[in-house]
Amino acid sequence: MGYTTIRERADAVGTFRFISVNLMETLARWVPTTPELEAKILFGRHIWDMAQEADGLGQRTSELRAPLHYNARPTDGYMQTLDALAALTDTAERAEAMYDGVLPDLEARYRDYLAGTNQMQDEPTVRVIERVLSDLARMREDYVRFQAQRPDLRPQAKDWKDRLAAIANGPADFVAFRTAPPQALEV
Amino acid sequence: MTTPCHPALDPALFGEGPARDERFTVKEIWVDMVNLPEDDPEWKMEFFHRQMNEECNVLENAASNIVDFPDADWNIRYWLARQAADEARHVDTYREIVEQRGGHVGQYPVMNFQYRILRRIDTLIGRLAVQNRTFEADGLDAVTHAIDEARRDGDEPLAEMYETQQADEVLHIRFANDWIKEQLKVDPMNVLHMSRALTHGARAFEQVFADGGTDVAKYGVATDARLEAGFSAGEVDVAVEQSDARRAAVRERLGVD
């Protein structure tokens, strides 16, 4: 997918922003409902990472001629992925689905964007996304440390691997592009 | 086994508690906690452990505010996210201190009154008035005193940790103060939401800390820190008057100077 027009870039950045806000809310929802202290700390620390990502992306949407903090709801297929993640109740499943499922998939989507845009013309977006990628990598490193701290917290359900795969491999199309506005006719 | 005979907490004032793992024993009221005298060798350990869970309540409240008020403006949601991350760091810091000093998570009972009180407040302005402007402001007074105490005891690493926490608390109170002031201009009804929440918080606090839980007379209001946190000079003066009167009453009741 190429992101060649301003409108396409705004829609993609707005979609990434929506996802960041959604993941911030999911982590926030998990904090009081997760029993294990170490997991609460892990999720709690990353709430602000997601907020900072949303903030940076939201500033950029206004530079791409969309509203400030433009939130573009993803495709229905990708929304199902986010909803499936948010609905998890087991601590180990929550953590693994977030850090070994959705975040690596999201990283790949950001990298696809970088590959599909003009690095020179779209440099401000590129810089925002590079910072996001650095945050996502650190969050996953935090999860590795969490696993060392709580090796007992591993998903136990027999069907978990299949469910994780479904969450980790969301549909390729995730940006619900707006239709282009009709061109003005010159009389 | 004997069950302590206390009046039950009023369910109109307290919601359900947050999830805790099996290491924790959760108590409802102060008198059922392990309340050691300050000269007890275990006093500090129990204090650190209690603080760890208190910080966890604040984390849980900041996180819940993000979830419960999805239509709040982005600026305040962003700050709540920041507060959640700071509080998570505080929980981790206290956990580390407990473990470095030979203790463990779950060593003492804990209370989740801060979280439970906020579950029954249905406006964001009310929650911030109770959590950030009241509980956190009281915590700011406490931590300001604790910095001096740690330095007096020659525990510089602890003093530095408290200073970091103090700076974070100033930030959390200030963003709440700034936002509350804006909201009061937007809608005068917000004054009522705030005062209703503060009354609720005070009544609930009384139930939790009945039978001696508020008998603290050793420190007063941290005036400079409160001013830095966005309280007006008039608000700080009122807090000082109330604190002085309360401490005098405690000293008289306990017969101490």
Side-chain angles (χ1 to χ4, degrees):
Chain A
M1 176 71 209
Y3 298 97
T4 53
T5 68
I6 293 293
R7 197 179 179 86
E8 285 168 349
R9 289 173 189 159
D11 286 346
V13 173
T15 306
F16 282 129
R17 182 181 194 276
F18 181 102
I19 294 167
S20 299
V21 172
N22 185 285
L23 294 178
M24 172 188 83
E25 291 170 343
T26 293
L27 289 166
R29 190 172 290 109
W30 287 351
V31 163
T33 58
T34 296
E36 294 81 3
L37 191 73
E38 296 81 359
K40 282 182 195 284
I41 293 168
L42 178 77
F43 300 150
R45 291 179 81 161
H46 293 162
I47 291 172
W48 193 49
D49 284 301
M50 283 301 169
Q52 286 180 93
E53 289 166 17
D55 199 60
L57 293 160
Q59 300 286 339
R60 181 62 185 144
T61 55
S62 70
E63 298 163 3
L64 292 166
R65 305 182 69 184
L68 178 69
H69 296 309
Y70 170 52
N71 253 350
R73 185 184 164 87
T75 57
D76 289 347
Y78 192 77
M79 276 309 298
Q80 285 173 14
T81 297
L82 294 176
D83 291 345
L85 175 75
L88 294 171
T89 55
D90 176 76
T91 303
E93 290 183 3
R94 284 175 167 179
E96 196 167 302
M98 176 65 80
Y99 298 101
D100 279 349
V102 167
L103 293 193
D105 175 70
L106 187 57
E107 276 184 43
R109 290 173 198 271
Y110 276 117
R111 291 191 193 287
D112 283 349
Y113 180 92
L114 293 181
T117 195
N118 183 309
Q119 299 281 311
M120 179 70 83
Q121 291 170 13
D122 195 21
E123 187 178 15
T125 309
V126 171
R127 294 287 169 264
V128 171
I129 290 179
E130 283 171 349
R131 285 192 283 275
V132 170
L133 287 171
S134 155
D135 283 348
L136 295 181
R138 179 175 41 74
M139 289 164 72
R140 294 185 64 205
E141 285 166 16
D142 288 345
Y143 177 55
V144 172
R145 276 193 289 277
F146 165 80
Q147 287 176 305
Q149 198 177 25
R150 290 299 303 261
D152 56 315
L153 288 176
R154 291 285 183 277
Q156 303 294 326
K158 282 184 181 154
D159 64 341
W160 171 242
K161 288 293 170 200
D162 292 338
R163 286 192 286 129
L164 174 65
I167 291 171
N169 301 309
D173 289 336
F174 72 111
V175 181
F177 291 102
R178 291 168 291 175
T179 52
Q183 299 296 307
L185 290 176
E186 282 185 32
V187 182
Chain B
M1 191 178 118
T2 45
T3 307
C5 184
H6 305 299
L9 295 178
D10 181 353
L13 298 177
F14 297 89
E16 274 197 29
R20 286 288 178 274
D21 64 49
E22 68 284 349
R23 290 171 292 181
F24 288 96
T25 304
V26 179
K27 300 290 185 185
E28 288 202 323
I29 52 177
W30 176 83
V31 81
D32 287 342
M33 295 284 280
V34 175
N35 298 307
L36 303 166
E38 279 201 40
D39 57 358
D40 189 288
E42 271 194 69
W43 181 84
K44 264 192 178 170
M45 181 68 87
E46 198 281 332
F47 170 78
F48 293 137
H49 189 273
R50 191 181 298 215
Q51 283 305 112
M52 175 185 73
N53 191 67
E54 298 285 321
E55 297 290 334
C56 197
N57 270 228
V58 192
L59 157 63
E60 290 162 326
N61 279 335
S64 296
N65 287 340
I66 290 171
V67 176
D68 295 343
F69 302 98
D71 297 327
D73 57 78
W74 173 246
N75 185 48
I76 192 67
R77 300 190 87 203
Y78 180 82
W79 276 115
L80 289 167
R82 167 60 190 266
Q83 184 180 9
D86 288 345
E87 307 298 357
R89 189 158 40 79
H90 297 169
V91 179
D92 212 14
T93 303
Y94 278 110
R95 184 191 58 79
E96 252 183 39
I97 289 178
V98 165
E99 289 176 357
Q100 281 167 358
R101 295 177 186 228
H104 61 269
V105 172
Q107 187 165 348
Y108 303 100
V110 295
M111 286 192 293
N112 295 318
F113 69 94
Q114 291 194 44
Y115 181 83
R116 296 185 62 196
I117 290 173
L118 254 68
R119 297 313 298 158
R120 286 283 185 259
I121 296 174
D122 58 5
T123 60
L124 182 54
I125 196 166
R127 289 193 188 178
L128 292 179
V130 171
Q131 178 69 65
N132 294 46
R133 267 176 64 100
T134 308
F135 292 157
E136 292 275 291
D138 289 346
L140 184 61
D141 300 337
V143 79
T144 302
H145 171 76
I147 293 166
D148 296 337
E149 210 172 44
R151 290 236 155 82
R152 197 191 58 214
D153 295 346
D155 195 340
E156 187 58 26
L158 187 61
E160 286 168 8
M161 186 281 280
Y162 283 143
E163 276 183 341
T164 305
Q165 195 186 335
Q166 183 192 40
D168 292 340
E169 309 296 15
V170 166
L171 190 67
H172 304 156
I173 299 165
R174 191 167 57 208
F175 84 70
N177 268 326
D178 290 348
W179 188 78
I180 285 171
K181 280 174 195 163
E182 272 174 34
Q183 298 305 306
L184 293 179
K185 284 182 203 158
V186 169
D187 182 358
M189 282 295 286
N190 280 326
V191 176
L192 290 177
H193 295 318
M194 213 169 107
S195 64
R196 200 175 58 198
L198 288 167
T199 304
H200 174 119
R203 284 175 57 208
F205 195 82
E206 242 171 53
Q207 288 193 9
V208 173
F209 285 91
D211 300 326
T214 54
D215 287 348
V216 179
K218 67 178 183 175
Y219 59 84
V221 169
T223 51
D224 289 347
R226 281 197 183 220
L227 287 169
E228 201 184 332
F231 285 106
S232 69
E235 287 171 330
V236 173
D237 286 344
V238 170
V240 169
E241 273 175 32
Q242 289 176 342
S243 169
D244 288 350
R246 187 183 55 76
R247 288 190 300 150
V250 169
R251 282 196 294 268
E252 194 181 322
R253 193 164 59 247
L254 300 180
V256 294
D257 292 328

